[in-house]
């Protein structure tokens, strides 16, 4: 209350100044985000080929969506990718940053930089690099395996649906381990070294120090990484599209739609096939899935932490 | 035993570093070979066709064009996003006004919305306004919710009220206050957010893909994507373009690696 009075008394600027300052952001937001979000919802209630006039059909698109096999394929593919890359990325991120932090390995920032390079590379280029490596004719993977006599015939990696989820999952792991390393290292820095020292004095072994002391203290960073990576994973598009693109970056879905992610399905429906209304309903469904999963994961991960304390 | 463990750990790091780096090296090596060498050889060492590939790539013209387009789009969008986020964040940090709490809550709420939710209508609206196939939807960035939040927190923490009060008494105007007093103090926040935004804009593919149509307007990610298609038969050109496309950010990163790393960590933890 006192603070409020003080501020009122000493106000030395015209009252409209702050509104002038916040106006551009809110105008831009209303125009580029607010209006599209609302209008998209309306579009999702229509049948619209994009050229003629939209025809109002109520919840029809959503009814179609819950019966659409391809939508479930896209959802399953996306979920598989997320379930592969998040555990791997966290696991390697933890191991690498723990070893760097406990100075088992010198040259911490050199290794951090090396692991971080894939993360700073254009995602489209990441997809293209993997497309090159897995090319059946001249790719690195086949050349190495043939050279080592592990396979007799070149494998057409990108044409086999059974490899797709792992290829994408490992590609994303390759891309994002470095990000986890710097995030978790920052988390380690927040823990005072004395905590580790005293654990060692008490005779706790390396493994016990790691599991009983480091891991609980790193929980906030790990929760953050898991949740944001999950959100990001649901939106995965660029890398997979280039990796499985036969015609220069236009989403195709890969062999037997095994590389169809939710966003590429949205793209194909709305922009390639011009089912505008249906595409808009996929956008809404995707957002509901993302927000729902975020809330559930928060509940699970942070709730357990609450119980422990 | 100790030595063995240490050796194994080092081995793990060397293998890890190799896995991280070798794909880059291999693509750079491919860029120096011609098509028939790429198909028949391993390309473990660089070849001699870099110059030919470079001339052929430049002859096509799409790559330099894409690079220039990307520079224009990303730099303009970053300057605009940083400026307007800062102005708005400053107002939330240092002014009292009606509806402030509600509006700030709105900013925080909007950070949760995935961009795909309004994507379809975004294209329709831009088309209706005649902005389809122009750069305006990509560069007219009047600030981001994250940027506003970020600037607001930083200004609250590092710009004392007394500093602003005394400058006001000396007769500095409100805009002068922001540009002459606040900006010098919050330069680190501006750089961090600028880097995060620039990288995002430079890398973005979905937005330009749905907005731009003319090949001449394509940004770098779109040019790379187009060159990876089946229709590009000269593999030397293809991989030279890919190698060159990864370079600008790698150089940016290796020059300012500490700042970039710290920005990303700070941005993630505060956002």
């Amino acid at each position: 209350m006192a603070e409020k009075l003080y501020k009122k008394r000493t106000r030395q600027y015209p009252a409209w100044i702050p509104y002038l300052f916040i106006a551009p952001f809110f105008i831009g937001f209303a125009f580029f985000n607010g209006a599209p979000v609302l209008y998209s919802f309306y579009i999702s209630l229509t049948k619209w080929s994009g050229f003629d006039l939209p025809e109002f059909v109520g919840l029809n698109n959503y009814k179609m969506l819950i019966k659409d096999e391809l939508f479930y394929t896209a959802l399953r593919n996306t979920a598989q990718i997320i379930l592969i890359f998040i555990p791997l990325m966290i696991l390697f991120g933890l191991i690498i940053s723990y070893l760097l932090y406990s100075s088992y390995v010198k040259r911490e920032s050199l290794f951090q930089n090396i692991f971080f390079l894939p993360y700073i590379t254009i995602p489209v280029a990441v997809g293209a690099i993997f497309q090159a490596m897995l090319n059946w004719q001249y790719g690195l993977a086949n050349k190495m395996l043939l050279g080592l006599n592990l396979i007799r015939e070149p494998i057409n990696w990108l044409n086999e649906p059974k490899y797709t989820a792992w290829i994408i999952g490992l590609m994303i792991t390759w891309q994002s381990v470095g990000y986890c390393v710097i995030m978790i290292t920052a988390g380690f820095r927040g823990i005072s070294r004395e905590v580790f020292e005293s654990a060692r004095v008490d005779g706790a072994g390396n493994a016990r120090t790691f599991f009983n002391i480091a891991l609980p203290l790193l929980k906030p960073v790990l929760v953050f990484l898991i949740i944001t990576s999950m959100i990001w994973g649901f939106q995965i598009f660029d890398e997979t599209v280039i990796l499985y693109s036969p015609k220069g970056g236009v989403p195709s879905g890969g062999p037997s739609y095994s590389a169809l992610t939710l966003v590429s399905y949205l793209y194909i429906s709305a922009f390639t096939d011009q089912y505008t209304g249906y595409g808009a309903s996929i956008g809404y469904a995707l957002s509901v899935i993302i927000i729902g999963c975020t809330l559930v994961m928060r509940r699970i991960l942070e709730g357990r932490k609450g119980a422990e304390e | 035993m100790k030595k063995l463990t240490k050796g194994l750990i080092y081995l793990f790091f060397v293998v890890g570093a190799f896995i991280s780096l070798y794909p880059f090296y291999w693509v750079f090596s491919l860029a120096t070979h011609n098509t028939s060498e790429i198909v028949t050889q391993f390309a473990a060492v660089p070849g001699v066709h870099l110059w030919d590939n470079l001339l052929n790539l430049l002859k096509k013209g799409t790559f330099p064009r894409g690079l220039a387009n990307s520079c224009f789009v990303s730099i303009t969008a970053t300057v605009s996003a940083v400026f307007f986020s800062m102005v708005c964040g400053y107002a939330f940090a240092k002014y009292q006004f009606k509806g402030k709490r509600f509006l700030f809550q709105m900013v925080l709420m909007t950070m949760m919305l995935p961009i795909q939710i309004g994507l379809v209508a975004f294209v329709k609206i831009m088309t209706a306004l005649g902005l389809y196939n122009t750069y305006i939807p990509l560069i007219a960035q009047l600030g981001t919710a994250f940027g506003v939040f970020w600037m607001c927190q930083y200004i609250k923490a590092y710009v004392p009220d007394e500093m602003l009060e005394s400058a006001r008494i000396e007769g500095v105007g409100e805009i002068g206050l922001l540009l002459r007093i606040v900006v010098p103090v919050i330069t680190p926040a501006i750089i961090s957010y600028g880097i995060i935004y620039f990288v995002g804009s430079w890398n973005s593919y979905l937005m330009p893909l749905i907005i731009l149509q003319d090949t001449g307007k394509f940004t770098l990610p779109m040019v790379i994507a187009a060159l990876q298609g089946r229709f590009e038969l000269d593999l030397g050109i293809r991989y030279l373009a890919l190698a060159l496309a990864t370079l600008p950010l790698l150089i940016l990163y290796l020059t300012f690696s500490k700042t970039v790393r710290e920005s990303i960590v700070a941005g993630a933890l505060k956002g």
Side-chain angles (χ1 to χ4, degrees):
Chain A
M1 199 60 204
E3 194 190 17
K4 213 172 191 177
L5 283 174
Y6 168 78
K7 288 233 164 99
K8 218 168 222 164
R9 186 160 45 81
T10 57
R11 182 153 84 196
Q12 297 148 317
Y13 46 84
W16 52 268
I17 281 277
Y19 294 108
L20 175 73
F21 284 172
I22 65 168
F25 171 78
F26 281 96
I27 291 169
F29 182 80
F31 187 70
F32 290 110
N33 298 77
V37 168
L38 298 176
Y39 187 39
S40 250
F41 186 65
Y42 171 72
I43 293 177
S44 79
L45 302 177
T46 66
K47 189 177 169 193
W48 191 11
S49 74
F51 300 108
D52 48 0
L53 287 174
E55 174 197 334
F56 189 82
V57 292
L59 291 173
N60 234 357
N61 286 323
Y62 293 98
K63 283 181 193 152
M64 264 158 59
L65 198 62
I66 52 172
K67 284 188 225 139
D68 183 354
E69 292 274 331
L70 217 45
F71 177 71
Y72 288 108
T73 307
L75 182 60
R76 197 172 47 237
N77 292 340
T78 313
Q80 267 178 348
I81 296 165
I82 293 175
L83 289 175
I84 292 173
F85 92 83
I86 292 186
L88 287 177
M89 151 190 120
I90 299 273
L91 179 73
F92 285 116
L94 266 176
I95 297 174
I96 292 169
S97 36
Y98 181 63
L99 293 174
L100 285 176
Y101 177 79
S102 27
S103 355
Y104 284 113
V105 176
K106 300 281 170 323
R107 305 186 144 266
E108 177 180 314
S109 69
L110 173 76
F111 278 113
Q112 275 188 347
N113 281 342
I114 290 175
F115 293 128
F116 197 62
L117 286 184
Y119 187 75
I120 206 87
T121 303
I122 305 183
V124 165
V126 170
I129 290 173
F130 273 73
Q131 197 196 42
M133 292 201 299
L134 297 168
N135 183 293
W136 73 273
Q137 209 182 353
Y138 57 82
L140 192 61
N142 278 343
K143 277 182 181 164
M144 275 185 166
L145 293 172
L146 285 169
L148 294 169
N149 269 329
L150 290 171
I151 53 172
R152 275 193 217 127
E153 294 280 303
I155 297 173
N156 202 341
W157 299 101
L158 297 174
N159 246 337
E160 292 277 356
K162 63 182 173 196
Y163 298 133
T164 310
W166 280 100
I167 287 174
I168 298 176
L170 291 174
M171 170 176 73
I172 305 298
T173 308
W174 178 79
Q175 182 189 27
S176 42
V177 162
Y179 173 67
C180 281
V181 170
I182 65 162
M183 292 298 296
I184 298 173
T185 306
F188 269 119
R189 290 232 181 81
I191 307 171
S192 89
R193 277 187 188 272
E194 285 161 30
V195 176
F196 287 95
E197 303 289 315
S198 61
R200 221 154 272 164
V201 172
D202 291 344
N206 273 331
R208 272 192 46 205
T209 319
F210 180 78
F211 284 107
N212 294 351
I213 296 177
L215 219 46
L217 288 168
L218 286 174
K219 198 153 193 177
V221 182
L222 297 181
V223 168
F224 171 85
L225 281 174
I226 291 171
I227 288 176
T228 51
S229 311
M230 185 190 70
I231 295 174
W232 180 82
F234 273 117
Q235 298 172 297
I236 188 166
F237 179 76
D238 307 8
E239 298 87 346
T240 58
V241 163
I242 307 307
L243 185 57
Y244 285 96
S245 156
K247 36 179 198 217
V250 180
S252 71
S256 320
Y257 292 110
S258 59
L260 188 75
T261 62
L262 286 165
V263 180
S264 39
Y265 192 42
L266 164 68
Y267 185 94
I268 291 172
S269 302
F271 302 115
T272 313
D273 297 343
Q274 295 284 342
Y275 297 139
T276 310
Y278 198 56
S281 71
I282 299 175
Y284 258 82
L286 169 66
S287 306
V288 169
I289 293 172
I290 291 179
I291 293 171
C293 287
T294 308
L295 295 176
V296 170
M297 283 301 278
R298 272 211 174 140
R299 202 62 193 268
I300 297 173
L301 294 171
E302 283 166 4
R304 214 195 286 148
K305 179 181 131 202
E308 264 173 24
E309 273 164 1
Chain B
M1 190 58 206
K2 262 256 157 85
K3 256 193 179 154
L4 184 68
T5 325
K6 212 162 185 187
L8 283 176
I9 289 172
Y10 263 97
L11 187 68
F12 173 75
F13 271 80
V14 170
V15 171
F18 181 80
I19 293 173
S20 276
L21 293 180
Y22 196 76
F24 291 104
Y25 170 78
W26 187 65
V27 166
F28 279 86
S29 168
L30 287 185
T32 62
H33 290 80
N34 63 23
T35 307
S36 70
E37 287 171 355
I38 290 175
V39 174
T40 53
Q41 296 170 16
F42 195 83
V45 285
V48 293
H49 294 281
L50 178 62
W51 189 242
D52 301 341
N53 289 342
L54 189 63
L55 288 180
N56 288 333
L57 179 66
L58 293 179
K59 228 185 280 162
K60 286 181 83 101
T62 49
F63 187 83
R65 195 66 202 261
L67 189 64
N69 292 342
S70 264
C71 286
F72 170 71
V73 169
S74 298
I75 291 171
T76 323
T78 305
V79 170
S80 168
V82 169
F83 180 76
F84 289 108
S85 298
M86 175 185 79
V87 172
C88 183
Y90 169 60
F92 278 119
K94 290 296 170 191
Y95 289 89
Q96 300 302 320
F97 50 96
K98 270 207 190 95
K100 178 170 149 176
R101 279 184 74 152
F102 171 73
L103 291 171
F104 197 66
Q105 283 301 319
M106 249 178 83
V107 172
L108 294 182
M109 292 269 289
T110 59
M111 278 163 65
M112 265 191 77
L113 283 181
I115 69 153
Q116 289 83 4
I117 193 167
L119 206 62
V120 173
F122 182 77
V123 179
K124 292 291 166 199
I125 294 173
M126 293 305 134
T127 311
L129 294 170
L131 300 177
Y132 180 73
N133 199 23
T134 72
Y135 288 135
I136 295 175
L138 306 177
I139 61 177
Q141 299 297 328
L142 301 176
T144 63
F146 167 70
V148 170
F149 176 72
W150 167 255
M151 293 293 179
C152 176
Q153 300 302 91
Y154 200 92
I155 292 170
K156 266 186 188 161
Y158 290 98
V159 181
D161 284 338
E162 295 74 33
M163 204 168 158
L164 299 174
E165 307 278 318
S166 60
R168 269 198 194 108
I169 291 164
E170 282 167 27
V172 181
E174 295 304 314
I175 293 171
L177 218 54
L178 171 63
L179 297 181
R180 300 218 313 263
I181 312 286
V182 177
V183 168
V185 179
I186 64 164
T187 309
I190 293 176
I191 292 174
S192 295
Y193 174 63
I195 289 174
I196 295 172
Y197 191 90
F198 181 84
V199 172
S201 167
W202 184 265
N203 286 346
S204 89
Y205 179 60
L206 183 58
M207 270 296 171
L209 184 67
I210 59 174
I211 289 294
L212 301 175
Q213 198 172 28
D214 293 349
T215 352
K217 288 180 179 160
F218 278 12
T219 58
L220 199 55
M222 298 173 83
V223 171
I224 312 172
L227 284 173
Q228 305 312 309
R230 256 182 209 152
F231 304 119
E232 182 51 60
L233 294 173
D234 188 327
L235 298 176
I237 292 185
R238 182 193 276 200
Y239 293 115
L240 180 63
L242 183 55
L244 289 178
T246 59
L247 271 184
L249 273 195
L250 289 191
I251 292 171
L252 179 83
Y253 175 65
L254 292 175
T255 322
F256 304 104
S257 62
K258 200 155 168 264
T259 319
V260 175
R261 274 204 320 258
E262 279 164 4
S263 304
I264 286 170
V265 171
L269 292 182
K270 294 219 175 96

